[in-house]
Structure formats: C-alpha cells, structure tokens
C-alpha cells in the first residue's frame, strides 16, 4: 500500500542528498543551454564533481525553439563531429550544413550529460558569486521563482574551484561580478565589450575564440563569451555553442589537473 508521507519523505531526503553533495564542487555551471550542457558532459565524463544550475523549469536554454520557433537547428561539419561524440547525427542538407530536430538534440544533451555524472538543478537561479582572495570561488543560489517574484529571501552558498558563466546573451554572472566588484576582466578593454550584430560565419569563430577565463576562477562560454568579449551573433546555427562548451571543459580540466 502506498503511503503518501513515505513518498514525500523519499523526495525530500533524496533531494537534500543531491543538494548537500553539490555544496563543494570542482565546477559549478550556470545555465543549461547548449554550451553549459556540453561543458558539463565533458567535465563529468572526466570524473570531475560538477553541477549545473538553471533558474527555469526546463533545461536546454535556446535550443528548444530552433530558429524562430521552427524546431530544427543547423550545425556545420565541426559541430556535427561533437554531436557524433554524443550519439547524435545531423542530416546533411547541403555540403557543410547539417540539420537536427531541436527537441531531440536538447533531450539527448541532457540525457548524455546526466548519464556521464552531471548533476542538474533546474529551478535554481544564481544571483551572485563568492569571492575569496580575488578569485571567484563559488555561487550564491536561490529558487528561480523567488527572483521572478522579486521577494527578498536570503540565498544559500556553495563553493567551487571554477564557475562557468553559460547564461547566454545576458552573461549574467560576469555582469554581476563587474557591477558589484568593479573588477577588470581579461577582455580587450578590461570591461564587458557587448555582443555584436549578426554575422554567422564570424560569430561561430568568435564563440570558440572568446571562450575562456575572464577573471580568476570564472570562465565564459557560448553567447555569454560573445557578450563579454564582443563577438558577433550567429542565429540558429549551434556548432559554435557545442565547441565552446567543449573548449571551456578542456580549459577547466587543465586548470584542475595542474592546480597545487
Ligand atoms: C540560473 C540562468 C541565469 C541565472 C541565465 O541562452 P542559452 O541557450 O545559452 P548558450 O550560450 O549555451 O546558447 C546560446 C544559444 O541558445 C543562442 O541563444 C544562440 C545560438 N543565439 C544566436 C543568436 O543570434 O541569437 O541558455 C542559457 C541558460 C537559460 O536556460 C537560462 O534560463 C539560464 O541560462 N540562466 N540560470 N541563474 N542567473 N541566467
Ligand atoms: Fe540567441
């Protein structure tokens, strides 16, 4: 016979186990779009303790909607290479252009990343970072709905050796850091340069080039990398996002494995 309170206790206990285990991480990823999910996949696959936080109910960021709500995305040759590592395969449209169903891509990225060991927390937003010795050293978290409602409820905190800002166009984490701490970033101007208009070819190259550590302990990937470092946008072509996530993971793996 099913006991309603046992069901409740099972959920509360299991959730608290997951959340407690995520309070001290190798990498905390903010944003569950393509770049954050791919970064999480490669970090988890390498055995790192990594969790991803997204304030929304559904993980996947901008992939779900394809282009203008047509639920297909395009990737190029290099992006298709990464997708193959994730057991996905684009359908060739013209030489150098592959298409995929955006729902299948999102669902598969989430599934592969979690099966590799990525812990995903949906419904949790990131409002601030922890600073220790001039280094980003963790996240300040709260329920996504709390910030949407504009309530003042104090947050909780977790530590991590790296934070990845994968929050998309708004580069929210880097923006908060600069606004609150007035720090200089590792960008051309030392400030947040801002995203540029549409140029798919340049934008795709920019996304990978701009992926990196912009402040000690804080990396940017995906559209956040272009927003922070001044890259072009590219529309619904997603190869650069996937490659950026992989690049961010490689940089952090190098940092984690070469730290004292
Ligand atoms: C918790 C947060 C917070 C926060 C945001 O936008 P995304 O899909 O991110 P990317 O960079 O991996 O992918 C970008 C791509 O989707 C895109 O927009 C492209 C290719 N655009 C080209 C163009 O021309 O427009 O996902 C970011 C995620 C979202 O799910 C947000 O909910 C989440 O981050 N998020 N989560 N705390 N403070 N800020
Ligand atoms: Fe976008």
């Amino acid at each position: 016979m099913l006991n309603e309170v046992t069901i409740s206790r099972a959920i509360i206990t299991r959730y608290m186990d997951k959340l407690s285990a995520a309070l001290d991480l190798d990498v905390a990823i903010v944003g569950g779009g393509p770049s954050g999910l791919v970064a999480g996949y490669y970090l988890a696959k390498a055995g790192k303790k990594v969790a991803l936080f997204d304030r929304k109910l559904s993980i996947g960021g901008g992939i779900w909607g394809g282009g203008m709500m047509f639920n297909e995305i395009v990737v190029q040759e290099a992006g298709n290479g990464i997708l193959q590592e994730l057991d996905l395969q684009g359908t060739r449209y013209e030489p150098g252009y592959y298409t995929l169903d955006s729902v299948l891509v999102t669902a598969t990225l989430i599934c592969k990343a979690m099966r590799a060991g990525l812990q995903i927390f949906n419904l949790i937003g990131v409002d601030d970072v922890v600073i220790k010795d001039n280094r980003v050293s963790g996240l300040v978290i709260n329920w996504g709905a709390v910030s949407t409602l504009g309530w003042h409820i104090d947050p909780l905190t977790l530590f991590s050796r790296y934070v990845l800002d994968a929050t998309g166009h708004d580069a929210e984490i880097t923006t908060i850091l600069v606004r609150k701490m007035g720090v200089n970033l590792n960008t051309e101007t030392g400030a947040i340069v801002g995203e540029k208009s549409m140029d798919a070819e340049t934008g795709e190259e920019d996304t990978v080039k701009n992926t990196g550590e912009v402040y000690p302990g804080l990396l940017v990937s995906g559209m956040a990398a272009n927003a922070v470092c001044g890259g072009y946008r590219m529309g619904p072509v997603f190869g650069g996002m996937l490659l950026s996530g992989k690049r961010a993971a490689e940089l952090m793996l190098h940092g984690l494995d070469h730290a004292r």
Side-chain angles (χ1 to χ4, degrees), residues 189-203:
T189 61
I192 292 178
V193 182
E195 181 187 304
K196 296 200 170 70
S197 292
M198 182 78 84
D199 179 341
E201 175 89 34
T202 313

Side-chain angles (χ1 to χ4, degrees), residues 139-157:
L139 297 180
V140 175
I141 57 171
N142 213 329
W143 298 114
V146 163
S147 59
T148 306
L149 288 165
W151 288 353
H152 179 83
I153 296 175
D154 278 338
L156 293 176
T157 298

Side-chain angles (χ1 to χ4, degrees), residues 42-198:
Y42 285 104
L43 287 161
K45 197 165 158 243
K48 300 305 172 195
K49 201 173 168 201
V50 51
L52 182 154
F53 299 84
D54 198 301
R55 66 158 69 95
K56 289 193 179 149
L57 177 59
S58 61
I59 299 298
I63 320 172
W64 291 112
M68 213 179 100
M69 295 205 272
F70 302 158
N71 65 355
E72 286 281 321
I73 60 163
V74 169
V75 296
Q76 329 73 312
E77 210 69 56
N80 197 43
I82 288 206
L83 288 174
Q84 284 169 353
E85 292 173 31
L86 292 151
D87 290 339
L88 280 162
Q89 172 63 55
T91 306
R92 199 161 163 274
Y93 179 70
E94 276 186 17
Y97 294 78
Y98 296 83
T99 60
L100 295 107
D101 184 291
S102 67
V103 176
L104 179 65
V105 173
T106 316
T108 306
L109 286 184
I110 295 169
C111 180
K112 293 292 285 187
M114 291 197 78
R115 290 227 162 117
L118 175 68
Q119 185 64 65
I120 294 182
F121 292 95
N122 58 337
L123 299 166
I124 295 186
V126 176
D127 294 347
D128 208 339
V129 291
V130 182
I131 302 286
K132 301 270 182 203
D133 302 325
N134 299 315
R135 182 180 172 92
V136 171
S137 307
L139 297 180
V140 175
I141 57 171
N142 213 329
W143 298 114
V146 163
S147 59
T148 306
L149 288 165
W151 288 353
H152 179 83
I153 296 175
D154 278 338
L156 293 176
T157 298
L158 61 89
F159 287 152
S160 63
R161 293 163 78 190
Y162 282 106
V163 167
L164 178 64
D165 183 350
T167 59
H169 292 272
D170 293 335
E172 286 197 25
I173 306 308
T174 314
T175 303
I176 290 168
L177 175 72
V178 170
R179 174 166 53 79
K180 290 199 162 187
M181 301 299 295
V183 297
N184 269 322
L185 299 175
N186 181 23
T187 64
E188 237 168 66
T189 61
I192 292 178
V193 182
E195 181 187 304
K196 296 200 170 70
S197 292
M198 182 78 84

